[in-house]
Amino acid sequence: MDWFGNRSADRLRRMLQAIRNRDFSLRFPYERMRGSERKLAEEMNDVISGFREDLIRQERQYGQYEAILNLVDSALIVADTEGNVSWMNNKAVSNLCGFKITQLSMLDAVHPDLAESLKSLIPGQPKILTMNLNGREERLKLSMATYDSKGSDVCIYSIENINLLVQQSEIEAQRKLIRVLTHEIMNSLSPIISLSDMLTETNRQLDEDSTEALNAINRRSKGLLKFVENYRKLSRLSQPHLEWTKIGDIFDGLRALFPEPFIKFRIEDPDIQLQLDRHQVEQVLINLIKNAVEAVEENPSITVSTKADHPNHRFMISVADNGCGISPDAADSIFLPFFTTKSGGSGIGLSLSRQIVSMHGGSISFASTHSGTIFTILLPFIYRL
């Protein structure tokens, strides 16, 4: 009996040690055992097997949760109240540092206010932080939630780039304003044009000054009417007709339109296909290249390039020039309707371009210095199976 008790106690210790170490590969062979000893070994194996199945189920569930969180478009960071980071999703790695951090303070390398802004968050009270990332101004929505883990608070931080949402809201507000303004202006101009036409044609006794004045009113009213009609394009822009389009085909057409030797096209993979409205996207690129041609002077150099960001499912098109750059005073207004720095410019090219890109689910931004400007278009990259 002592022998049986010693053997059983030894097996029990081994089982407890395996459970403590989460090593559930342990198995007690019972084929040659009899009676109570066999029954006890079978029950121990059942206990270990139960733990092993629970662990596999938990790991599977954890893998599912992690896969779901990695699909979220926001950067997610899990940390304790001291700022020690225990987990971050792929979006946080790719969009912030490029590597996994262990302390929130390491985000100071991205922006000096980012870590402190996260630590000062209150659950349910998000903040907006404007920062420069890779030469582009980005607006980030910071929010935080907490949960209790073994008596200690754990913080889940969310960092969401809301540039696209802000752009879409601004565009929709601009379109509504344009619809109202053009409607009111055209309603006022039409009777003025009709009245000036009628007075000029029916009243032959007008003196020369009065006739010139009426002709000037008529001419300028018609010019203003045509001017306003151009802006109605911004509110009448049709939804894109999305079709699978090979990138190389788009740029073959652009090369024919812009054969100048100082314009270089660097297409990473011309066989890539995107779902887009070819005519609309071509119009955007024509606008950007024409602007770049007008911006360069001596030793002109313009580079149009593409790059596929496979991990983030984004496709990037950039147009870079070596012009004098965009002045800081104009930088905040270049996408606004009616705004132009060119004499005779309509001020709708970039605004229309931003609307087209936004309706494709993308974004357009720029970075400019005294030695040149680069416009960057980001489009959704959906793989064709």
Side-chain angles (χ1 to χ4, degrees):
M1 190 65 184
D2 289 340
W3 172 82
F4 171 73
N6 290 337
R7 290 280 297 269
S8 298
D10 179 62
R11 292 192 187 104
L12 184 59
R13 279 193 297 270
R14 289 169 60 194
M15 184 185 75
L16 293 175
Q17 185 65 33
I19 292 172
R20 188 177 294 114
N21 295 331
R22 300 178 68 82
D23 176 15
F24 303 122
S25 61
L26 179 66
R27 180 183 178 278
F28 296 107
Y30 55 80
E31 287 76 15
R32 296 183 180 181
M33 297 180 187
R34 299 288 184 272
S36 298
E37 184 181 14
R38 180 186 178 109
K39 186 175 181 180
L40 182 60
E42 289 176 345
E43 289 179 355
M44 287 181 173
N45 286 341
D46 287 343
V47 169
I48 294 172
S49 178
F51 275 111
R52 182 169 58 250
E53 290 174 4
D54 285 343
L55 179 63
I56 292 171
R57 186 163 49 250
Q58 289 175 9
E59 288 178 344
R60 229 180 249 141
Q61 195 172 46
Y62 177 83
Q64 290 174 350
Y65 291 153
E66 187 169 34
I68 292 170
L69 292 173
N70 280 326
L71 290 175
V72 173
D73 203 38
S74 302
L76 300 176
I77 299 176
V78 179
D80 61 21
T81 53
E82 301 299 318
N84 300 305
V85 175
S86 57
W87 184 84
M88 56 197 299
N89 68 347
N90 291 342
K91 187 67 69 172
V93 175
S94 60
N95 284 11
L96 294 175
C97 302
F99 56 88
K100 290 189 176 182
I101 61 173
T102 56
Q103 292 282 334
L104 285 180
S105 58
M106 295 172 70
L107 292 175
D108 289 343
V110 180
H111 190 276
D113 297 330
L114 182 53
E116 195 55 42
S117 296
L118 290 174
K119 291 178 182 178
S120 64
L121 286 172
I122 298 173
Q125 297 183 19
K127 288 182 179 180
I128 303 297
L129 178 65
T130 301
M131 55 189 291
N132 189 287
L133 284 177
N134 301 321
R136 299 192 303 270
E137 186 179 88
E138 306 283 3
R139 279 166 283 196
L140 305 180
K141 178 184 176 183
L142 311 180
S143 53
M144 184 262 282
T146 61
Y147 69 92
D148 181 77
S149 175
K150 299 179 181 179
S152 300
D153 281 340
V154 175
C155 305
I156 304 176
Y157 297 101
S158 170
I159 305 171
E160 181 183 3
N161 191 321
I162 58 172
N163 260 21
L164 181 58
L165 292 175
V166 172
Q167 280 188 17
Q168 290 173 338
S169 298
E170 289 176 351
I171 289 170
E172 186 56 33
Q174 290 167 6
R175 293 180 73 176
K176 289 179 180 177
L177 178 61
I178 290 167
R179 280 196 293 266
V180 172
L181 288 176
T182 54
H183 177 76
E184 294 301 320
I185 293 172
M186 293 182 77
N187 281 352
S188 300
L189 286 175
S190 295
I192 293 174
I193 294 171
S194 298
L195 185 59
S196 61
D197 280 337
M198 183 188 69
L199 288 172
T200 303
E201 293 173 2
T202 60
N203 198 332
R204 304 297 181 183
Q205 299 178 352
L206 289 173
D207 57 51
E208 187 177 343
D209 289 342
S210 298
T211 302
E212 286 184 6
L214 280 174
N215 287 334
I217 290 172
N218 185 273
R219 186 173 60 255
R220 290 307 303 145
S221 297
K222 288 180 178 178
L224 185 56
L225 192 66
K226 184 178 180 181
F227 181 77
V228 171
E229 182 63 31
N230 284 333
Y231 290 117
R232 296 186 73 178
K233 297 175 183 176
L234 293 173
S235 59
R236 290 176 174 175
L237 187 62
S238 61
Q239 287 295 318
H241 179 60
L242 302 180
E243 292 182 327
W244 288 108
T245 306
K246 189 180 291 187
I247 289 298
D249 293 343
I250 293 178
F251 285 95
D252 286 343
L254 290 173
R255 285 189 183 95
L257 287 174
F258 299 97
E260 291 87 346
F262 60 85
I263 302 178
K264 298 178 178 62
F265 293 88
R266 296 176 179 170
I267 313 307
E268 186 181 64
D269 185 353
D271 292 326
I272 282 179
Q273 295 188 52
L274 300 182
Q275 270 205 312
L276 47 79
D277 186 314
R278 175 173 175 172
H279 298 295
Q280 289 189 358
V281 171
E282 279 182 344
Q283 186 58 56
V284 171
L285 293 172
I286 289 170
N287 288 343
L288 294 181
I289 296 173
K290 284 179 66 178
N291 286 349
V293 170
E294 293 170 0
V296 296
E297 295 177 357
E298 297 181 3
N299 300 316
S301 176
I302 297 172
T303 302
V304 183
S305 58
T306 69
K307 184 177 181 181
D309 182 358
H310 293 273
N312 294 306
H313 299 279
R314 298 187 304 181
F315 190 81
M316 183 181 74
I317 305 173
S318 64
V319 179
D321 65 59
N322 65 338
C324 59
I326 298 170
S327 70
D329 293 337
D332 292 334
S333 306
I334 64 169
F335 289 114
L336 295 179
F338 320 139
F339 180 83
T340 181
T341 57
K342 298 180 287 188
S343 61
S346 65
I348 65 172
L350 285 176
S351 180
L352 195 65
S353 296
R354 188 169 75 158
Q355 283 198 42
I356 290 172
V357 173
S358 178
M359 288 194 301
H360 278 76
S363 64
I364 181 171
S365 59
F366 74 95
S368 187
T369 66
H370 66 278
S371 58
T373 301
I374 178 170
F375 278 86
T376 302
I377 298 169
L378 293 177
L379 295 172
F381 187 10
I382 302 171
Y383 297 95
R384 186 172 189 179
L385 301 178

